[in-house]
Every structure is written in C-alpha cells, then in structure tokens.
Amino acid sequence: MEMFFKEFPHPYDKQRKALGDDELGLDPLQTKFWFQNKPTQMKAQQERHENALLKAENEKLRADNARYKEALSHATCPTCGGPSVGEMSFDKQHLRLRMPD
C-alpha cells in the first residue's frame, strides 16, 4: 500500500477496493481508513524528525553559550589588562571611560 500511496495518495473507491480485496485481503473500510490516516502519520513522522534536528541544534547552541560565558568570565581588557566589562559594575566602567589616562 505504501508504494500505491506514493503514486495515488487519494485513490478512488474502486482502486481502494481492488487494492484491499485482491492484494491484501483487507475490508474496504480498513483500506479507506488507512489512506485517510497515512498523511497524518507521515506528518507526525516528519515533525518528529524535525524536532530531533532542532533539539540537537539547541543542545549545540547551549554548549556554545556555556563555553562563551566561561571564556568571558576569564577575559581581560586588551587595552589595560583589567577585568572585562562584565566583571566591572556599570558605574565603575562609566567612570573609567570618562577619566583621562
């Protein structure tokens, strides 16, 4: 039925009946429901696949973020060698920028 579905996703009653009766021994109603449910199953499978990809990407971004935070916690100012902006309060940083060297 999978191969038939790829060619004819919306078969006529006669096609469904012939497929179910002749090839698989299924009741016509079973065959009808199978063709009705197949698109939903395919969509769910596609969504699971996409969710797995997004989850992996999210985990990678979280790891990158943690690595960057760690690097920034040990960063120093390239100009003066002092602590980076993140380690200094806003007021101290503002005063430091205003004071001439």
Side-chain angles (χ1 to χ4, degrees):
M1 278 206 297
E2 296 281 343
M3 290 173 46
F4 190 85
F5 180 79
K6 288 179 183 178
E7 283 189 51
F8 306 101
H10 304 287
Y12 297 111
D13 289 336
K14 288 182 180 182
Q15 290 173 317
R16 278 197 314 263
K17 186 173 178 6
L19 181 64
D21 288 347
D22 298 341
E23 295 183 28
L24 303 172
L26 296 175
D27 182 77
L29 200 54
Q30 289 176 308
T31 308
K32 179 180 178 180
F33 289 148
W34 188 91
F35 277 95
Q36 286 177 345
N37 292 333
K38 186 62 178 170
T40 304
Q41 292 171 354
M42 289 175 60
K43 182 179 178 186
Q45 184 179 16
Q46 180 66 27
E47 286 175 351
R48 283 191 298 272
H49 176 71
E50 289 173 0
N51 286 344
L53 293 175
L54 289 172
K55 185 177 179 182
E57 184 179 351
N58 188 17
E59 289 172 5
K60 180 186 174 298
L61 290 172
R62 285 180 184 268
D64 288 348
N65 190 22
R67 195 171 57 248
Y68 294 142
K69 280 183 179 181
E70 179 64 24
L72 282 175
S73 70
H74 302 295
T76 58
C77 175
T79 306
C80 67
S84 66
V85 177
E87 296 173 8
M88 200 180 300
S89 74
F90 177 76
D91 292 333
K92 282 184 180 179
Q93 182 67 19
H94 188 70
L95 285 173
R96 189 173 193 175
L97 292 174
R98 293 176 118 201
M99 297 175 69
D101 287 332

